[in-house]
Amino acid sequence: MSLLRRSGQQALQALLELAEAPQQWRSVNDIAAAQALPAPMLEQLLLQLRRAGLVEARRGRLGGYRLQRQPAAIPVAEVLAAVGADIQLVEPDAPDSTQAEQQVLRSMARRLQRAMERELMQFNLEELLFDLRSCRETLSGDGGLMLG
């Protein structure tokens, strides 16, 4: 089970694609093809990311999208929030239980939620890009790990 919603995963994929060449304008179709994402859905995500100030858009033949800030200045938490994909370990509207065990478990989940939110605010797109490049270097052309 993944805690990351599909919209959050796809937004991060698109931003990683843009982060590989942050000053280059990329069309929706180009990003969609590179990341195997449906272009109409990607367009909607990019509009949300633009409204959040994470990407900028330019119209025309040489237009498209690019990062508005450097990858190091884009926290993962901000990306997830921009597309409504915040990770929630605790249901915000769930009633508190009268059982001590349930209260303790809910308290633990709230503490974990706060810790995860802090981590996601510190974890940025540049770190993800580094991880992506490292992963690519360790994988062979057929998708298996290179040994030796």
Side-chain angles (χ1 to χ4, degrees), residues 25-74:
W25 294 97
R26 303 279 303 274
S27 72
V28 171
N29 290 334
D30 183 34
I31 299 166
Q35 292 295 319
L37 298 172
M41 180 276 317
L42 179 60
E43 179 83 52
Q44 293 304 310
L45 290 174
L46 287 167
L47 289 173
Q48 291 174 305
L49 294 169
R50 185 177 61 79
R51 281 191 289 263
L54 299 173
V55 298
E56 55 185 332
R58 183 169 76 180
R59 293 181 187 263
R61 190 173 62 85
L62 300 175
Y65 289 89
R66 70 179 182 185
L67 295 182
Q68 189 159 339
R69 296 181 277 187
Q70 291 300 312
I74 300 177

Side-chain angles (χ1 to χ4, degrees), residues 108-142:
M108 177 192 70
R110 284 187 185 119
R111 289 172 56 197
L112 288 171
Q113 179 75 40
R114 287 190 300 272
M116 186 173 48
E117 288 168 356
R118 282 191 304 272
E119 184 66 24
L120 289 173
M121 279 306 293
Q122 294 173 7
F123 193 46
N124 61 53
L125 201 55
E126 183 175 60
E127 292 175 84
L128 275 180
L129 187 58
F130 177 84
D131 291 347
L132 174 64
R133 289 175 175 158
S134 297
C135 186
R136 283 180 180 158
E137 288 179 15
T138 60
L139 293 177
S140 68
D142 63 357

